[in-house]
Amino acid sequence: MDYIIEMLGITKRFPGILANDNVNLQLRAGEIHALLGENGAGKSTLMSILFGMYQPDGGVIKKNGVDVRITSPSDATRHGIGMVHQHFKLVHNFTVLQNIILGVETTKNGMLKMDDARRQVVELSKKYGLDIKPDALISDITVGMQQRTEILKMLYRENEILIFDEPTAVLIPQEINELMGIMKGLAAEGKSILFITHKLNEIKAVADRCTVLRGGKCIGTVDVESSSKESLSEMMVGRKVSLSVEKTESKPGKVIFEAKGLTVKNHVTGKNVVDNCTFTVREGEIVCIAGIDGNGQSELVQALTGLMQSDSGSMAVGGADITKVSIRDRDKYGMAHIPEDRHKHGLVLEYNLAYNLVLQSYYKKRFMQMGFLDFKSVYSYADRLIDMYDIRSGQGAKTITRSMSGGNQQKAIIAREIDRNPQFLIAVQPTRGLDVGAIEYIHKQLVLARDSGKGVLLVSLELDEVMSVSDRILVMFEGQLVADVDPQKVTYQELGLYMSGSKRDTAKGAENLGQ
Amino acid sequence: MGNKLKSFLAMNNQASLVASLMAIVAGLAAGFLVLLASNPGQALGGFSAIIGGGFENGKSLGQVLYFATPIIMTGLSVAFASRTGLFNIGASGQFIVGAYAAIVVGVKCSFLPATWVFCLLAAMVAGALWGSIPGLLKAYFNVNEVISCIMMNYIGMYLVNYAITLTVFDSLKNQSMRVANSANMPKLGMDLLFRDGASVSSANSGIFVAILFAVVIYILLEKTKFGFELKACGFNREAARYAGINEKTSIVMSMIIAGALAGVGGALLYLAGSGKGIDVVDVLAAEGFNGIPVALLALNNPIGVIFAGLFVSYLTVGGFNMQLYSFAPQVIEIIIAIIIYFSAFALVFKGLISKGAGKK
């Protein structure tokens, strides 16, 4: 069998960490090859080496059986290697077409010749079924179309080897399906694809073979057809993991949180982004808000947590009205919040782990000594949390948070929020971008919080998560809560209908939800 | 390189220190090249004058301390604001307003015991007030602090010029009047210690005030709850808000403190008993802008600001000596500017060191 790219015995060291340890990866021409591993397993390092961003400390890269040295991304492009990064490299105030030709412009007498380029791009987009608007600005188009722009960038450069770095992390279910179709089409046309992911469903859906990395080591390469999801996840994590959430029947107690007619206006358009939402969360239950991204979930959470003022309506935690209470004081009423964007809201990345673990409680008596921070108690508290919640980092409590892996950053936030012992916990997409092991851990923590009598409000875009974790599902559509259903009784199809607005729970009516 | 050196460099503080030193060396080398270009014959002599001038005698050493004092204060002002995520380019305005307030108190309120203490307090309040305006605008109306600070610089300069002519004007010298003796910073015998024969320097206790402020700011930033909040806002305003920190208050407080520091700098320059007054000319106070390279060179570390301020002041004093080698004052200014300019590359060097130490 001919390999188009072989990476043999690749080793890469970073200070204090062996990111790749004698890793082998062989890519056949025309196949979709998945690279599976947890966060920090060395997937990105390996791909960065292939793409010329790092130099390996050992090992060789062969293309079509010939040794090559790839010293920069432009080198990689010359060898026909293209990459769609997880965070797109697009110029936002350029058009799609301008982005695609950026760096390889065709010119005549120093003037741009856009017509040829446009023809070529349109041809490519037709051939591979990549729907784009060549003249739309990047800032105006959807994430899915931005990704297709990135793919066209590679195709326009006539790349033969396409690397996709976690391409589905930013997409909604429909777009994921579309992308899978595109990838299959590309492979059918003879392109070879490396697909970095930790989502087993996607691997089963498109990949031919799969190489698994764990802790920087290559665990093996398997045929996807003949391996089960369970065996793949076991290879990835190194132990058996349960892909379903284990929990007992919920025993909801008294109402812990109540929102009445909550409304948030968009002050530019005047539209209600959160429209008259009324619901309750009781002790010992996980209530999930499902919906397609952008239907007002973020605004609802911001209103609940005080990051945004609500325009009308009220809310109460444990019977106390908190509608006008400040962010800090909501914490005193027993509300905790695992935010949607851990980098933007959840953490001060330049602070060390200990500082982040006391980010909301540093001012409390136990951490203060006459106006000065009591570092001894801050660090001993941090060490306790690190131990209890198994937060892994290079230098313990003193690790700068930016250098930690995404999963461990999220664990730190969860440790911090749960350890404050809230009555009411809001978790917004707590597993976004995390691997199977971390997801299992976080779901377990949410269920534990529920079982200890807390009320949990989970906001999630992932239907699997919604169905497996929650005890009750509210569906949000265009700012309104349109359904209140039992996950045991509802089907995926039905949820999809609610989420797309084609069905409403008319029997109860939005006003009476949760009562 | 030895492993010890590697691990030494890998530590953040050491890397910062080494980076600053490397930047200084690079700056000096660049300055020497310019000297060579402008007057090859005298280049070596002129260069040694700049390098050795500050140590020439007791007086020049005293002058180094004297000139360092105000730029340490403005450097602290800029560094402090940077740590909290704000660029205080308004130190010049805060500086001159503070200086004016100190002089008014020093001239009109000489009946107060230890008048200088009140002068400093007045300067602090005036500087704080001047800093608070861009702070309030930023916090409540999201006005970019750089723009409002620059405007406040001009308003401050013209207002002070006008106010001097109304209140404490010495029309012969076209500058502010001399303050009462009790308003001058205590000399503590430093003028006699740092002198060249009969010619005494302007050294005074102001330098200790500046060092004290640097230490206080360091403790404030690193050890207190308030500093924890300010830095969190500086690094990530959204996360600070999420954590329940009032980011508006933080911005305003940060600018108030930065303004107060620059204001005290203004007071310390003019309360030295050197006979220096505020000239009524339409020029922004240079000390305010010199605070920016001082802060950059110190990588915004308050303790580092002390040394960066001394270094810049040392160059200034050494520059005076270059006139002996028939360099025009303009060339001297250019040389000093080039050295400071290159010195501000400290961050670049820090990046290089971290990278180098990171490799195997």
Side-chain angles (χ1 to χ4, degrees), chain A residues 27-38:
Chain A
L27 177 66
R28 290 176 188 158
E31 76 166 341
I32 300 181
H33 191 119
L35 186 56
L36 177 67
E38 293 196 279

Side-chain angles (χ1 to χ4, degrees), chain A residues 32-82:
Chain A
I32 300 181
H33 191 119
L35 186 56
L36 177 67
E38 293 196 279
N39 287 314
K43 297 172 303 208
S44 299
T45 308
L46 190 65
M47 286 305 103
S48 300
I49 288 171
L50 182 57
F51 200 55
M53 291 187 287
Y54 294 133
Q55 291 304 304
D57 297 325
V60 290
I61 302 175
K62 287 184 180 179
K63 190 190 170 202
N64 294 322
V66 185
D67 276 17
V68 288
R69 264 179 61 81
I70 301 172
T71 52
S72 69
S74 53
D75 238 16
T77 311
R78 251 197 309 286
H79 287 295
I81 302 169

Side-chain angles (χ1 to χ4, degrees), chain B:
Chain B
M1 262 199 295
N3 274 334
K4 263 191 181 164
L5 185 58
K6 286 280 184 195
S7 60
F8 176 76
L9 288 180
M11 289 163 75
N12 195 31
N13 283 337
Q14 276 86 340
S16 298
L17 179 62
V18 174
S20 292
L21 291 177
M22 282 170 74
I24 287 170
V25 172
L28 290 174
F32 183 61
L33 288 181
V34 175
L35 275 184
L36 271 179
S38 67
N39 189 350
Q42 298 283 5
L44 210 58
F47 193 62
S48 57
I50 259 202
I51 297 294
F55 278 131
E56 198 185 34
N57 54 46
K59 183 184 175 188
S60 54
L61 210 53
Q63 292 304 96
V64 170
L65 297 180
Y66 169 59
F67 285 119
T69 307
I71 56 176
I72 288 174
M73 292 307 298
T74 54
L76 272 179
S77 169
V78 175
F80 177 77
S82 297
R83 289 291 289 276
T84 62
L86 297 166
F87 184 31
N88 179 22
I89 201 169
S92 182
Q94 298 145 15
F95 179 89
I96 205 70
V97 171
Y100 172 73
I103 288 174
V104 168
V105 173
V107 173
K108 306 270 184 193
C109 307
S110 52
F111 53 87
L112 292 164
T115 318
W116 60 274
V117 175
F118 297 94
C119 292
L120 289 189
L121 287 176
M124 260 171 106
V125 172
L129 186 73
W130 223 245
S132 71
I133 295 168
L136 288 166
L137 288 174
K138 168 98 179 176
Y140 292 97
F141 302 101
N142 203 19
V143 176
N144 188 313
E145 77 276 13
V146 172
I147 295 169
S148 49
C149 275
I150 291 175
M151 294 306 149
M152 292 304 286
N153 281 345
Y154 284 99
I155 297 171
M157 186 250 304
Y158 286 116
L159 193 68
V160 164
N161 283 350
Y162 180 57
I164 286 174
T165 57
L166 291 183
T167 51
V168 287
F169 193 46
D170 180 341
S171 56
L172 276 180
K173 294 185 182 167
N174 191 35
Q175 57 171 221
S176 61
M177 291 197 275
R178 273 180 180 231
V179 295
N181 267 336
S182 61
N184 282 321
M185 298 301 295
K187 295 269 180 202
L188 305 177
M190 289 172 75
D191 52 339
L192 301 174
L193 184 65
F194 295 109
R195 64 174 171 178
D196 182 18
S199 162
V200 297
S201 70
S202 309
N204 61 65
S205 56
I207 186 73
F208 298 118
V209 174
I211 291 172
L212 182 72
F213 269 106
V215 173
V216 168
I217 291 297
Y218 175 80
I219 293 172
L220 180 76
L221 274 176
E222 302 300 334
K223 308 284 178 199
T224 69
K225 166 181 138 185
F226 184 49
F228 186 91
E229 293 177 345
L230 287 176
K231 282 191 298 179
C233 281
F235 285 133
N236 186 345
R237 196 151 285 159
E238 288 293 325
R241 219 162 89 75
Y242 156 84
I245 296 167
N246 187 334
E247 93 278 17
K248 288 186 165 54
T249 315
S250 281
I251 292 172
V252 177
M253 282 311 293
S254 166
M255 281 307 292
I256 284 178
I257 293 171
L261 290 168
V264 170
L268 291 178
L269 178 68
Y270 292 103
L271 298 183
S274 59
K276 195 173 164 66
I278 303 177
D279 291 318
V280 181
V281 287
D282 297 346
V283 179
L284 292 175
E287 286 82 359
F289 296 109
N290 287 343
I292 297 170
V294 167
L296 279 175
L297 188 54
L299 296 173
N300 294 329
N301 179 324
I303 303 301
V305 163
I306 301 172
F307 296 99
L310 285 169
F311 169 69
V312 171
S313 162
Y314 184 86
L315 285 183
T316 312
V317 173
F320 295 146
N321 292 13
M322 278 177 68
Q323 295 183 25
L324 299 175
Y325 295 88
S326 60
F327 281 100
Q330 288 86 345
V331 175
I332 299 169
E333 288 290 330
I334 291 174
I335 303 291
I336 293 175
I338 285 174
I339 296 175
I340 296 176
Y341 184 82
F342 270 79
S343 305
F345 285 0
L347 267 181
V348 178
F349 285 108
K350 188 178 173 190
L352 288 178
I353 293 172
S354 309
K355 233 182 175 176
K359 277 188 187 146
K360 181 177 51 114

